[in-house]
């Protein structure tokens, strides 16, 4: 087990900055997930930690050891790659034993560790097979097994589930979370899949364009995003965003949403500082999540709402919910999650109800959250 620290870490490929001044402290035993769109620098961050890329600036520590100049084999880490990278001419047993043989571990100990990892992963019966005789899910387990036998201080995983079908991925997700609990070791995991990130991570580091946007627990990322990018990236369907104007109603500051005036004092009190509206003259973006927009017949009690007239463009019946795509003349398109019992039709115009206690407000230019 070990903590991992990135201190002002930058990686440039020629003049392209792939990772920009990354500061991140990962606790001993934590499951930390890097997530972000393709090209955001998450794999590069992992490869810098593994020693597979050199650091341009800053330092990385594993425990209290600065590892910048240590070769991968001396960093006490084990990595599971997206491709699994199994040796095709070796059996499962040989694949799992190989790195231990290189380290000069004695045969009795190798045998013990391989058998124990195979039992933990349920692949004891496959030890004599070659990788080509395995299913995708079995190969993925062998790749994990090969990491386990090394008993590393830190496990690094780069999209290890992306070659599996949807059902197997859900199962493998649970297995990796269980493995983390059993081994009680630091796991650092890279994915572009926000569901994987949300279900597996103790904390999630969201990256964009080489810059860490926010690192937080899944619940905090969802409920308290720092900026427009995080708010839009975490959650599916994504949060709806609208440009809004500030105005006043009988002297009271309000946001104008179609025909509605939303009292800032009442519903977005965080926005009032020292009796005045902060960011008074800034352009604003309002955010609301699809589940905070209700069909009028299925509004739970005691939720303060404003009604917004909208026309239904498309409906997706998911069984447990309806995903409904709507348009208004003023706000444009948005998406809502309705109770599946709601009776709705394509082309219908209705008043949908927005929970005004669940609104987010962002500075449109700075892209940061205000309230
Ligand atoms: P993906 O999910 O697509 O793997 P990622 O977030 O893991 O994306 P990285 O692989 O870290 O992204 O790449 C970050 C950026 O750095 C990308 O724009 C990529 O093209 C660039 N990059 C990565 N490796 C190199 C390299 N060896 N030489 C030049 N540019 C590179």
């Amino acid at each position: 087990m070990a903590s991992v620290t990135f201190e002002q870490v930058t990686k440039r490929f020629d003049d392209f900055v792939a990772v920009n001044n990354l500061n991140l402290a990962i606790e001993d035993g934590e499951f930390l997930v890097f997530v972000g769109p393709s090209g955001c620098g998450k794999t590069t961050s992992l490869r810098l930690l593994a020693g597979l890329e050199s650091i341009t600036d800053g330092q990385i520590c594993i425990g209290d050891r600065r590892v910048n100049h240590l070769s991968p084999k001396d960093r006490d880490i084990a990595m599971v790659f997206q491709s699994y990278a199994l040796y095709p001419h070796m059996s499962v047993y040989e694949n799992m034993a190989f790195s231990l043989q290189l380290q000069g571990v004695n045969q009795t100990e190798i045998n013990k560790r391989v058998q124990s990892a195979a039992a933990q992963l349920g692949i004891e019966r496959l030890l004599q097979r070659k990788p080509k005789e395995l299913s995708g899910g079995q190969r993925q387990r062998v790749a994990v097994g090969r990491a386990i036998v090394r008993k590393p201080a830190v496990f690094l995983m780069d999209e290890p589930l992306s070659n599996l079908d949807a059902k197997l991925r859900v199962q493998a997700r649970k297995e990796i979370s269980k493995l983390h609990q059993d081994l009680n070791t630091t796991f650092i995991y890279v994915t572009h899949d926000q569901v994987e990130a949300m279900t597996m991570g103790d904390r999630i580091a969201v990256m964009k364009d080489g810059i860490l946007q926010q690192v937080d627990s899944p619940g905090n990322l969802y409920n308290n995003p720092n900026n427009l990018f995080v708010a839009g990236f975490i959650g599916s369907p994504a949060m709806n965003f609208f440009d809004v104007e500030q105005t006043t109603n009988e002297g009271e500051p309000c946001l104008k949403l179609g025909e509605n005036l939303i009292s800032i004092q009442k519903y977005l009190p965080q926005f009032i500082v020292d009796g005045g509206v902060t960011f008074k003259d800034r352009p604003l973006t309002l955010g609301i999540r699809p589940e905070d927009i209700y069909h009028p017949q299925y509004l739970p009690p005691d939720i303060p709402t404003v009604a917004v007239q909208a026309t239904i463009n498309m409906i997706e019946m998911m069984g447990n919910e309806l995903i409904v795509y709507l348009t208004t003349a003023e706000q444009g398109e948005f998406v809502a999650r309705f109770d599946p019992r709601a009776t709705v039709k394509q082309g219908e115009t209705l008043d949908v109800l927005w929970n005004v206690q669940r609104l987010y407000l962002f500075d449109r230019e700075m892209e940061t959250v205000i309230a």
Side-chain angles (χ1 to χ4, degrees):
M1 290 204 344
S3 60
V4 171
T5 321
F6 290 82
E7 280 175 38
Q8 301 183 338
V9 172
T10 292
K11 174 64 185 177
R12 273 186 223 104
F13 294 106
D14 301 322
D15 50 6
F16 177 78
V17 183
V19 177
N20 194 344
N21 196 24
L22 176 62
N23 287 294
L24 180 60
I26 302 163
E27 282 172 34
D28 195 358
E30 188 172 9
F31 197 133
L32 188 284
V33 180
F34 279 104
V35 72
S38 185
C40 69
K42 51 195 188 302
T43 294
T44 304
S45 303
L46 202 71
R47 289 173 61 82
L48 291 170
L49 171 57
L52 300 172
E53 298 285 359
S54 62
I55 299 168
T56 312
D57 259 322
Q59 69 169 5
I60 297 182
C61 295
I62 300 180
D64 40 24
R65 264 196 325 166
R66 185 174 188 269
V67 297
N68 287 36
H69 299 295
L70 290 184
S71 73
K73 69 175 175 42
D74 296 326
R75 294 191 181 200
D76 203 4
I77 46 131
M79 187 150 172
V80 179
F81 296 92
Q82 178 176 357
S83 63
Y84 309 145
L86 301 178
Y87 300 112
H89 58 288
M90 291 185 187
S91 67
V92 167
Y93 184 99
E94 289 162 343
N95 263 285
M96 288 169 71
F98 187 61
S99 67
L100 300 180
Q101 281 160 350
L102 287 185
Q103 284 173 26
V105 177
N106 72 56
Q107 194 53 45
T108 316
E109 177 65 16
I110 291 177
N111 203 31
K112 199 171 107 196
R113 290 203 207 171
V114 172
Q115 294 294 348
S116 156
Q120 200 165 6
L121 296 163
I123 53 173
E124 304 102 304
R125 296 213 191 131
L126 307 177
L127 287 173
Q128 298 317 317
R129 291 208 199 157
K130 296 272 168 58
K132 70 173 188 311
E133 296 162 337
L134 303 174
S135 69
Q138 290 166 337
R139 271 182 225 155
Q140 184 262 332
R141 282 184 211 181
V142 176
V144 172
R146 200 169 52 170
I148 294 178
V149 293
R150 298 178 55 191
K151 300 194 173 173
V154 183
F155 280 91
L156 308 182
M157 300 194 173
D158 188 2
E159 308 241 10
L161 309 185
S162 56
N163 295 331
L164 306 181
D165 68 39
K167 195 167 166 208
L168 210 50
R169 216 177 309 151
V170 174
Q171 185 190 331
R173 216 158 70 194
K174 283 190 288 191
E175 285 172 6
I176 291 182
S177 294
K178 168 93 176 27
L179 195 66
H180 173 247
Q181 277 170 17
D182 293 348
L183 297 174
N184 201 16
T185 303
T186 313
F187 274 43
I188 304 179
Y189 189 102
V190 163
T191 181
H192 64 272
D193 180 341
Q194 51 138 328
V195 177
E196 258 175 42
M198 293 291 276
T199 52
M200 297 169 87
D202 293 324
R203 283 191 308 157
I204 302 171
V206 183
M207 293 192 73
K208 181 194 170 210
D209 298 337
I211 298 174
L212 179 63
Q213 304 288 310
Q214 184 169 356
V215 53
D216 228 321
S217 66
N220 265 342
L221 274 186
Y222 192 81
N223 290 311
N224 305 305
N226 278 347
N227 60 33
L228 272 170
F229 177 78
V230 175
F233 189 77
I234 301 289
S236 176
M239 186 185 284
N240 298 292
F241 297 115
F242 309 91
D243 295 350
V244 279
E245 281 172 33
Q246 295 178 53
T247 179
T248 51
N249 183 20
E250 297 176 359
E252 198 195 330
C254 291
L255 296 175
K256 186 171 175 329
L257 182 71
E259 298 299 302
N260 298 289
L261 295 175
I262 298 172
S263 160
I264 294 178
Q265 184 79 58
K266 198 161 167 197
Y267 298 117
L268 294 154
Q270 313 89 307
F271 199 42
I272 309 276
V273 173
D274 296 334
V277 178
T278 56
F279 295 83
K280 192 164 185 319
D281 300 315
R282 305 288 302 164
L284 298 176
T285 296
L286 188 73
I288 185 165
R289 292 209 181 269
E291 63 269 31
D292 295 319
I293 301 177
Y294 292 90
H295 186 278
Q297 284 172 351
Y298 292 94
L299 178 71
D302 303 326
I303 292 187
T305 59
V306 290
V308 175
Q309 194 180 70
T311 303
I312 297 177
N313 298 329
M314 199 171 80
I315 302 158
E316 290 172 352
M317 177 47 164
M318 308 299 286
N320 63 334
E321 63 187 4
L322 288 169
I323 308 289
V324 182
Y325 297 85
L326 303 113
T327 324
T328 63
E330 282 203 44
Q331 276 81 45
E333 295 188 355
F334 62 98
V335 54
R337 292 176 121 126
F338 285 169
D339 188 295
R341 293 165 299 175
T343 318
V344 283
K345 287 209 301 286
Q346 199 171 329
E348 176 187 354
T349 297
L350 74 168
D351 280 344
V352 294
L353 303 176
W354 292 22
N355 181 349
V356 279
Q357 273 175 339
R358 298 279 302 159
L359 297 175
Y360 294 85
L361 207 50
F362 303 88
D363 183 311
R364 199 183 311 152
E365 282 171 3
M366 312 269 289
E367 301 194 355
T368 47
V369 74
I370 298 170

